Amino acid sequence: MTRATIHGLPVSSGVGIAPAFLFRSLPFQLSGAAPGKADSNHEKELLEQACADIKLELAEAEEGAAPGSMTSMLADHLFHGGVIDRIDAGMTAADAVVQTTNDLIAIYGELPDPVMRNRADYAEAVGRRLFRRLHGLPTPVFGRSSTMILVTDEMSPFEATRLQAASVAGIVSERGGATSHFAIIAKQLGIPVVSGIPNVLQAIAHGECCICDGTSGAVQATPDEATLAAAHMRLAEITSEREALAALRRPRTATRDGRPVNLWGNIAGPADVQPVLDAGGTGVGMFRTEFIFMGDEAPSEERQTAVYGDILRRTPGPVVMRTIEAGGDKSIPYLTIDHEENPNLGWQGLRMCLDMEAFFLTQLRAMIRASSEGELWIMFPFVSALWELRRCRELITKADLEVKAKGVRPGNYKVGIMVEVPSAALLADEYLRDFDFCSIGTNDLTQFTLAADRMNPKVARWYDSYHPAVVRLIAMTARAAHKARKPIGMAGDMASDALFIPVLVGLGFDFLSATAPRIGAVKKTILSLDSRGAQELARTVLTMNDTEEIRTFLKKKHEELSA
Ligand code: PEP
Ligand code: MG
């Protein structure tokens, strides 16, 4: 029987059609129960049953690992033996799995040999799957030939980093706004997402055929034949549009009259570099480093240096590495942040780092140690006051000296700031004085300018980057950067929006950092522009005082350019 269409928030564009996989979230943590109470024989039976249940899945999943590396964990004396020892000491099987997994991640994660370090990832993948099975919850197997629409109440950062575009045709979620962690990853992978649907796990059945339209925000479970045929047609159109854009992968991105624009990509880790290059990006315009801090503890300086060096080596152009931006809407479990009434206006991003100097210096040293591997641009996010910037400069100098004192010769690197708080846009000329570049983060700039939480689907109507106040702050920042003769870029979602690109080119942006799947469309727009025409267009937009007027005007211009 056909069911009513469900409407949610369109978060990542595109269309996916596949059977639903219901994925209920479950925090991977100790229960808090005192050890000593559990019946160890019973807990061991539960453990062996769960191991048997997931064995086949693990063999299929292997998640990029060498064959057998995950299944062998189930018999490994450190992993399996460790769980048994803890059960014998009175823990439940589930708690024993959490404890053993966390201990092994800590041990393996510090080993110098990369093959051994990989075992930390396998232990985590196996431990989490086993933990969910012990709670009677399934975990999807990515890499199987079939695809799925993931239907979930909430997706954790760990789960998000495991997503695979070839297996996940779409995501339908109860929680998570357009710029939440999992949405950022899904956009990078080109997976359509609809979010903000209450009780979604009750609304859709496991295995039911679903259409997830991330462009309109519509979700259709058990569609009728006509709806299904229309969705397949739309999917075919999207695929051929993508193929046409792939053909545009010329090395140079410039307007028709030859004004070059550096087109780079946003990444969350080393694995995202190649998709950016494949899409025609020539650098990394923003590495959100907080994604490598999502495990159960912070990566060591060695580990960070290895990751940063790896990314720099793989990228032919600059890599803009943003220092960790956690807190607010991006919580990291081990950074115990007290409950805050307004986390988005609270102790987050640079504020947190400045208060945790040793932690911050570790990251800065790791970046500087890796700087000889490529073209490094260090970027500070969430800047709101001049004194913070002075402190950042001092800390960079300190980290640099500490690295040199260890006998390491750093390469040349730039240091810049992110403009994502209105105070930084208004004072960009002052803030840029001691820095080499700036990049605008429209996701936060929009939320702070318009006082509309980017995570809250209820205020999505108020959260609109086409608002003239946001556009004027962008223009103001660009003017300040030009005056200071410093490069200006953009890494927020607006840099991935083909409609808005003519404004950015007209305002003289030097670099744009888009998500890999959007690089083709952004490039197509730039190639179709004339730089004087774009300047004229930007001037016109700046005279407008209504959000819809701006959007309608830019849509019309986009249609003219695409004709
Ligand atoms: C932004 O705020 O626009 C940005 C790029 O940073 P994030 O989305 O990671 O907050
Ligand atoms: Mg931001």
Side-chain angles (χ1 to χ4, degrees):
M1 192 188 61
T2 308
R3 310 224 273 117
T5 308
I6 310 171
H7 293 278
L9 192 65
V11 160
S12 172
S13 62
V15 172
I17 310 165
F21 189 103
L22 296 200
F23 184 81
R24 185 179 298 284
S25 63
L26 178 71
F28 185 66
Q29 60 193 30
L30 294 170
S31 64
K37 299 261 187 304
D39 168 353
S40 58
N41 285 336
H42 179 59
E43 293 300 320
K44 281 184 202 165
E45 275 169 28
L46 292 177
L47 175 74
E48 296 316 327
Q49 184 57 52
C51 287
D53 288 346
I54 68 163
K55 198 166 178 173
L56 198 63
E57 289 175 16
L58 279 180
E60 282 183 85
E62 293 295 0
E63 304 189 18
S69 44
M70 298 238 257
T71 31
S72 64
M73 276 280 164
L74 293 178
D76 182 85
H77 72 282
L78 285 180
F79 186 88
H80 187 264
V83 175
I84 294 286
D85 287 349
R86 290 184 170 92
I87 293 177
D88 281 335
M91 275 188 162
T92 62
D95 277 350
V97 167
V98 173
Q99 191 67 61
T100 307
T101 305
N102 288 342
D103 288 355
L104 287 182
I105 293 169
I107 295 166
Y108 287 132
E110 288 309 308
L111 297 177
D113 176 0
V115 176
M116 289 310 283
R117 266 206 316 267
N118 279 342
R119 290 184 72 78
D121 290 344
Y122 307 153
E124 182 158 23
V126 174
R128 284 178 180 256
R129 190 176 285 273
L130 196 52
F131 177 75
R132 288 180 61 82
R133 173 57 63 185
L134 283 163
H135 285 87
L137 293 175
T139 305
V141 178
F142 298 147
R144 275 185 179 161
S145 46
S146 55
T147 58
M148 65 189 84
I149 301 285
L150 265 183
V151 178
T152 181
D153 47 353
E154 184 163 29
M155 187 163 283
S156 77
F158 174 84
E159 284 139 7
T161 55
R162 280 337 218 220
L163 286 171
Q164 287 183 19
S167 304
V168 183
I171 303 175
V172 180
S173 171
E174 181 165 338
R175 289 188 283 279
T179 52
S180 56
H181 265 128
F182 91 86
I184 285 168
I185 299 273
K187 281 185 211 174
Q188 268 170 209
L189 294 170
I191 299 174
V193 178
V194 176
S195 182
I197 300 177
N199 303 319
V200 71
L201 289 167
Q202 279 77 52
I204 295 172
H206 191 80
E208 191 174 17
C209 174
C210 266
I211 302 170
C212 164
D213 186 334
T215 309
S216 70
V219 177
Q220 180 67 63
T222 310
D224 59 32
E225 264 180 44
T227 312
L228 192 58
H232 275 295
M233 256 174 72
R234 181 75 197 109
L235 196 55
E237 275 167 26
I238 292 172
T239 310
S240 65
E241 277 163 22
R242 266 194 204 140
E243 281 163 7
L245 290 174
L248 284 179
R249 281 201 316 118
R250 291 200 241 144
R252 188 162 178 269
T253 305
T255 57
R256 281 200 330 251
D257 52 329
R259 179 184 173 303
V261 180
N262 290 298
L263 183 51
W264 300 337
N266 291 343
I267 64 163
D272 300 333
V273 174
Q274 199 53 45
V276 166
L277 303 182
D278 290 345
T282 53
V284 169
M286 182 175 65
F287 169 26
R288 288 181 164 99
T289 58
E290 57 273 15
F291 278 92
I292 64 162
F293 288 79
M294 293 294 168
D296 291 296
E297 58 178 19
S300 65
E301 186 173 328
E302 291 305 317
R303 179 93 186 106
Q304 288 187 52
T305 307
V307 172
Y308 303 151
D310 185 22
I311 291 173
L312 283 161
R313 272 192 301 278
R314 285 164 188 246
T315 311
V319 176
V320 181
M321 273 188 207
R322 181 175 80 176
T323 59
I324 180 169
E325 187 175 48
D329 56 354
K330 298 184 186 111
S331 64
I332 294 190
Y334 55 84
L335 297 174
T336 35
I337 297 168
D338 294 339
H339 171 77
E340 294 182 306
E341 291 298 334
N342 282 311
N344 275 326
L345 302 180
W347 190 67
Q348 63 151 306
L350 188 61
R351 298 173 182 181
M352 197 172 80
C353 289
L354 289 174
D355 277 352
M356 300 196 313
E357 225 172 87
F359 173 82
F360 196 27
L361 276 169
T362 305
Q363 182 174 41
L364 296 178
R365 277 195 307 270
M367 286 184 181
I368 294 169
R369 280 173 63 181
S371 60
S372 55
E373 303 284 355
E375 201 178 325
L376 171 67
W377 296 23
I378 298 175
M379 178 165 74
F380 295 109
F382 208 71
V383 168
S384 63
L386 199 55
W387 69 263
E388 296 173 321
L389 292 177
R390 286 196 205 104
R391 192 71 197 122
C392 284
R393 264 285 164 211
E394 286 163 11
L395 290 174
I396 284 278
T397 307
K398 187 167 183 204
D400 195 281
L401 288 173
E402 285 173 359
V403 167
K404 285 177 182 154
K406 288 262 157 63
V408 177
R409 276 176 65 92
N412 290 327
Y413 55 90
K414 289 190 198 314
V415 184
I417 58 169
M418 195 157 189
V419 173
E420 49 184 351
V421 177
S423 61
L426 292 163
L427 297 177
D429 47 354
E430 312 266 356
Y431 286 12
L432 265 171
R433 196 157 295 146
D434 287 332
F435 289 85
D436 304 318
F437 69 95
C438 74
S439 177
I440 300 186
T442 48
N443 306 339
D444 278 321
L445 188 62
T446 304
Q447 93 165 332
F448 296 126
T449 304
L450 305 178
D453 183 348
R454 65 193 255 186
M455 296 291 289
N456 185 348
K458 270 196 180 150
V459 295
R461 257 176 77 193
W462 284 270
Y463 179 95
D464 195 327
S465 301
Y466 288 83
H467 192 295
V470 178
V471 178
R472 288 182 201 186
L473 285 174
I474 292 171
M476 185 180 255
T477 311
R479 270 197 298 274
H482 294 325
K483 210 165 140 211
R485 297 182 185 280
K486 309 267 167 101
I488 172 149
M490 180 174 283
D493 271 12
M494 293 305 272
S496 294
D497 181 350
L499 283 196
F500 201 67
I501 296 304
V503 180
L504 298 175
V505 173
L507 291 174
F509 271 67
D510 301 288
F511 64 94
L512 300 176
S513 190
T515 56
R518 303 295 306 157
I519 286 177
V522 171
K523 188 164 195 169
K524 184 177 171 203
T525 306
I526 296 172
L527 295 176
S528 72
L529 287 171
D530 162 73
S531 60
R532 277 171 192 272
Q535 279 169 13
E536 186 56 42
L537 176 146
R539 270 197 291 275
T540 308
V541 167
L542 287 169
T543 63
M544 296 178 174
N545 57 13
D546 179 72
T547 308
E548 279 320 306
E549 188 188 3
I550 294 179
R551 195 188 313 278
T552 310
F553 175 75
L554 291 178
K555 265 190 191 155
K556 194 163 150 269
K557 287 290 167 194
H558 187 71
E559 277 158 22
E560 284 169 19
L561 287 168
S562 322

